[in-house]
Amino acid sequence: MGDPTARIEAVDWTVLNHAYGTAEDVPEMLRNLHHPEKAADAADDLLTHVHHQGGGVYSSAPAVLPHVVAAAADPAVAADVRGDLFHLVRSLAHSGNTALPRFVTPDWPAAWERAVPDLLPLLDDPVAEHRTAVAHCLAEAHVRAGEVIVALRARWEAEPEPAIRLRLVDAVGSLVTHSREQREATLGWLRTLRDGTEPSVRLAAVQALRRARPESSAASAPAPAASSASVSVASSESISTSASASASASASASDQLADPADGRTVSEVLLGSDPDAWRPGGRTKGNVIWAVGLLGDDPTGRTDVIGRLLGHRDPEVRAGALQVAAQELGRRRSAVTDLLPDVARSLSDPEPENRVFATRILGMCGHASRPWADVLAAMVSEAGEAHAPARSHALWALSRLGDARCVPALARCLAEADPGFAFHGTHADGWWTYRLDLVEVAGGLGAHADVLLPPLRARLAAAAGLDERRGLCQVLTEWGPAAAPAIPDLLALLDTDAAVWALDALAAIGPAAARAVPAERLRALLDDPPAGQRFAPRALALAHGRLTGDREPALRLVLPELDEPYGQEAAAALLAELGPAAAPYAGRLRELLPRRTQGWLPLRVGEALWRITGRTDEVVPALVRAISPFAEQGGAHRAVIETVKLLAEIGADAAPAESVLRAFLDADERPVEHGSWRSVPLDDELCEAARAALLAIAARDGAV
């Protein structure tokens, strides 16, 4: 065999680039692939430099590709390094297929097409992980799809490993839309597999068929990795191997075009076979999530399967069913009627973590969970629920219901060393059961401050860390005037690193706090804010203004931002608080109003103009324009909800928003962002605000 590095010098690497500049350092990386003690670092350096974070293909990639493929095919290179190189090839090919054309070097398509024939023989590699990795690579071979499909199907016939057979089927599905000559024969082959007897192959064929539909192929994501080995070879930010990603991709808008036989197959497999047969090598919970996602836009089918899986004998199947139930409830309002009773039965699941998840779902669904309030109330004591996280979630669920039976339990929690709640919020997407935030649990319980203040004040006095002091102050801020007995405790915090949050709470309490705070202490705090908190001067100035009415410190800090390219929202919000006194700034606000059509800026600027001038004719159209797209496409976020609340406050003059508000209320698919525990609470808040706005509009004609 000749020198594998001989052709490296034939390339002028100085005229090529990678993520860190010129590619003149690439030849050494390529040569080091063939030095055992340097190969692993060289493969990692190539990934970092030539692929980096994806989103494009650098000019060095076409020249690198043949050398990387050759090294990946070389049995003299260590197996783990070969796996890393296959990962690099797949990552580059994926970026070449998905990045915007202007970010892909013009030489890449031809280089990738030339590399594909060199990869095809590696489908027969003796190392199983490498065969999986090669299939991942070839799934991106759109330019030679017909040739690759033939090779993949031939390998499928010879492949002894079940997990790799599934990956081959999946790769075929990714290529069907790119091969006119192989399309019909391949679709027929996939349908034969779907209608066969082997559960895992049937499900893999359903996924492949879904990808084979031109309308859905762009939205499809790779299947979950069939084994831990395949994850190590082909895991990257550009390769989605998670079950939840596949489920999400499977639920694209084009799914109404799916073959009904696909849904029947999924239901038959999930309800009529052993979980171990669904996806060899995968975790049962993830397999459930992935497989239910294959049902696509068939709410009746999904609801039926989920409800039945919630009663499955396997606790991991039930865990997966609970997660897809949460997804369904977070996506569709009608799912509450269909699924919540089935979820509620899981409150008595023998598996503690399933009880936690079920309780979290009921808490998420708020007032819709009222029929199970007694069950939840029984769970807030150790006698009724032995698992502490389940008790915490039951307490939160009751607080979401406004059920006073959560109050004594919360008072006990506040008196314990570990209250069972976090002192900071978590805003991550997904369905993991992180600790609930104390503010989420207690923030709406100001009416019960007489019971909760004694343990909360004792805890505040003994708090050892900033996180705890901050969280407790935030609860008091939510309570407002009801927190007045805690004024001495908050005053004591003005000399600590929690001064910002203590002053926020004092401002929320209002006049009683204003009378109690020494003016000289406030001035000293503004002159010498806590060290290490860059946000403190502004936050303290804003709270000082709300507490004392003296807005000058805040205006001095915030108003200059009104003339910055970005970040004018805070200045507009402050002017809104000033009301008519901010009239000199109305002209500047009018200039800003059309600058953004969505987000926080039209809300903050519109509110400021309305509170300053009292005019709605210039404000309401901008506010309606800011929320209208979300009534059609969904994804409404906090700014949309706050805009609807402002329209409710504006009242009768908000009539141009009426059709948008009704669209929010009439939707079955929740028009908020999906995919987290906040989906339903946000949707509930949006609906409440929309109803209030419609009532205010109707009052114009004396209809209320």
Side-chain angles (χ1 to χ4, degrees):
M1 183 175 181
D3 181 1
T5 66
R7 291 180 296 165
I8 294 176
E9 305 306 328
V11 177
D12 184 0
W13 297 96
T14 62
V15 300
L16 304 176
N17 64 24
H18 53 49
Y20 297 99
T22 177
E24 55 192 325
D25 53 352
V26 166
E28 183 178 6
M29 299 177 197
L30 295 174
R31 284 192 289 269
N32 286 341
L33 292 175
H34 301 277
H35 292 277
E37 70 282 2
K38 300 178 181 179
D41 288 341
D44 186 61
D45 287 343
L46 284 166
L47 177 66
T48 302
H49 287 68
V50 179
H51 178 251
H52 197 52
Q53 297 177 352
V57 180
Y58 295 99
S59 62
S60 58
V64 165
L65 183 63
H67 301 288
V68 169
V69 171
D74 187 352
V77 175
D80 58 338
V81 175
R82 294 179 64 203
D84 290 342
L85 295 175
F86 285 127
H87 169 47
L88 172 57
V89 172
R90 197 279 180 179
S91 299
L92 289 171
H94 181 72
S95 292
N97 286 337
T98 58
L100 294 174
R102 69 177 183 272
F103 296 127
V104 178
T105 185
D107 293 336
W108 173 257
W112 175 227
E113 185 172 3
R114 288 193 299 270
V116 170
D118 294 330
L119 287 168
L120 290 174
L122 301 179
L123 285 170
D124 299 324
D125 195 283
V127 180
E129 291 91 338
H130 294 168
R131 297 198 298 277
T132 298
V134 172
H136 274 289
C137 294
L138 291 173
E140 301 292 338
H142 301 170
V143 290
R144 306 184 76 136
E147 175 185 356
V148 174
I149 287 173
V150 171
L152 291 169
R153 290 184 57 182
R155 181 65 225 175
W156 190 87
E157 297 293 342
E159 178 57 55
E161 294 289 337
I164 301 177
R165 284 163 65 86
L166 301 183
R167 179 58 217 161
L168 293 166
V169 172
D170 192 60
V172 168
S174 298
L175 294 171
V176 174
T177 58
H178 303 283
S179 173
R180 181 178 302 174
E181 68 275 14
Q182 291 293 327
R183 177 173 173 76
E184 291 307 317
T186 303
L187 290 175
W189 178 69
L190 290 173
R191 292 188 191 104
T192 299
L193 296 183
R194 179 195 63 192
D195 299 336
T197 59
E198 190 175 346
S200 62
V201 174
R202 297 185 72 193
L203 291 178
V206 169
Q207 177 164 269
L209 284 163
R210 293 169 62 79
R211 291 188 177 164
R213 296 186 183 96
E215 298 85 359
S216 61
S217 60
S220 298
S227 68
S228 58
S230 65
V231 172
S232 66
V233 171
S235 62
S236 145
E237 72 282 347
S238 64
I239 307 175
S240 172
T241 55
S242 70
S244 59
S246 291
S248 175
S250 297
S252 64
S254 61
D255 289 341
Q256 68 267 23
L257 302 175
D259 186 337
D262 293 351
R264 289 195 298 272
T265 296
V266 175
S267 298
E268 288 171 6
V269 169
L270 292 182
L271 301 176
S273 62
D274 191 273
D276 291 340
W278 298 344
R279 194 79 180 174
R283 291 186 58 192
T284 299
K285 177 181 175 181
N287 290 343
V288 171
I289 298 165
W290 164 71
V292 172
L294 295 177
L295 289 166
D297 195 16
D298 175 14
T300 302
R302 287 198 307 270
T303 299
D304 177 64
V305 168
I306 294 168
R308 295 170 70 176
L309 291 178
L310 284 168
H312 200 279
R313 66 185 184 281
D314 187 327
E316 278 291 300
V317 172
R318 298 197 300 274
L322 283 166
Q323 180 161 326
V324 289
Q327 292 172 348
E328 195 73 6
L329 290 161
R331 181 183 176 191
R332 290 190 302 114
R333 293 169 181 166
S334 59
V336 172
T337 301
D338 297 336
L339 276 177
L340 203 56
D342 294 319
V343 171
R345 283 192 282 274
S346 296
L347 294 174
S348 59
D349 194 293
E351 179 61 38
E353 289 306 313
N354 286 350
R355 296 199 300 276
V356 171
F357 208 101
T359 310
R360 184 67 165 259
I361 292 176
L362 266 70
M364 174 183 77
C365 290
H367 287 280
S369 299
R370 187 166 297 283
W372 300 279
D374 290 346
V375 180
L376 293 167
M379 294 176 67
V380 300
S381 68
E382 192 168 356
E385 173 52 67
H387 192 49
R391 290 199 300 273
S392 297
H393 281 76
L395 194 159
W396 170 68
L398 286 176
S399 75
R400 286 266 294 142
L401 290 172
D403 192 311
R405 285 176 287 184
C406 69
V407 175
L410 181 56
R412 292 194 298 271
C413 290
L414 288 170
E416 295 174 359
D418 180 359
F421 301 104
F423 293 108
H424 56 81
T426 301
H427 297 274
D429 290 341
W431 304 101
W432 50 293
T433 50
Y434 51 79
R435 271 196 169 201
L436 294 158
D437 175 10
L438 181 63
V439 178
E440 286 185 84
V441 177
L445 298 176
H448 304 282
D450 56 334
V451 176
L452 296 174
L453 269 173
L456 188 148
R457 293 180 65 189
R459 187 169 203 101
L460 189 59
L466 175 59
D467 279 354
E468 185 170 1
R469 288 191 288 270
R470 176 180 58 209
L472 295 168
C473 285
Q474 288 171 333
V475 172
L476 295 173
T477 301
E478 292 294 318
W479 289 356
I487 289 174
D489 310 275
L490 294 168
L491 292 175
L493 291 177
L494 294 181
D495 294 317
T496 73
D497 54 1
V500 167
W501 297 279
L503 198 60
D504 278 344
L506 289 165
I509 290 170
R515 291 190 295 269
V517 181
E520 64 277 7
R521 181 69 195 92
L522 282 181
R523 284 193 296 271
L525 191 57
L526 292 178
D527 293 338
D528 186 22
Q533 298 176 358
R534 296 178 60 186
F535 57 88
R538 173 193 287 192
L540 290 169
L542 291 169
H544 169 268
R546 293 169 188 141
L547 187 66
T548 67
D550 177 12
R551 306 285 184 167
E552 181 57 33
L555 287 169
R556 189 167 57 251
L557 284 173
V558 176
L559 267 190
E561 296 175 2
L562 205 60
D563 296 316
E564 296 294 325
Y566 300 98
Q568 302 96 338
E569 292 85 354
L574 177 57
L575 293 174
E577 291 185 25
L578 287 173
Y585 301 97
R588 181 71 182 101
L589 291 168
R590 287 191 179 96
E591 293 174 6
L592 287 174
L593 189 59
R595 177 170 292 186
R596 301 277 187 277
T597 57
Q598 293 179 16
W600 288 102
L601 190 63
L603 165 63
R604 296 302 186 211
V605 173
E607 180 177 9
L609 274 173
W610 175 58
R611 296 195 187 282
I612 292 167
T613 68
R615 289 178 54 186
T616 59
D617 58 315
E618 58 187 350
V619 169
V620 169
L623 299 179
V624 175
R625 185 169 60 247
I627 65 173
S628 294
F630 300 95
E632 299 176 3
Q633 66 194 29
H637 44 78
R638 170 59 56 187
V640 176
I641 296 169
E642 295 301 322
T643 301
V644 174
K645 289 180 180 179
L646 178 60
L647 289 166
E649 193 174 350
I650 288 173
D653 286 347
E658 188 170 357
S659 62
V660 178
L661 298 172
R662 293 196 184 282
F664 282 141
L665 293 175
D666 293 343
D668 181 39
E669 182 165 336
R670 300 183 191 274
V672 297
E673 295 174 327
H674 303 156
S676 80
W677 295 110
R678 299 183 187 275
S679 298
V680 179
L682 280 174
D683 187 47
D684 288 348
E685 195 174 351
L686 175 62
C687 289
E688 183 180 356
R691 282 191 287 267
L694 287 170
L695 285 170
I697 292 168
R700 168 193 57 185
D701 301 319
V704 177

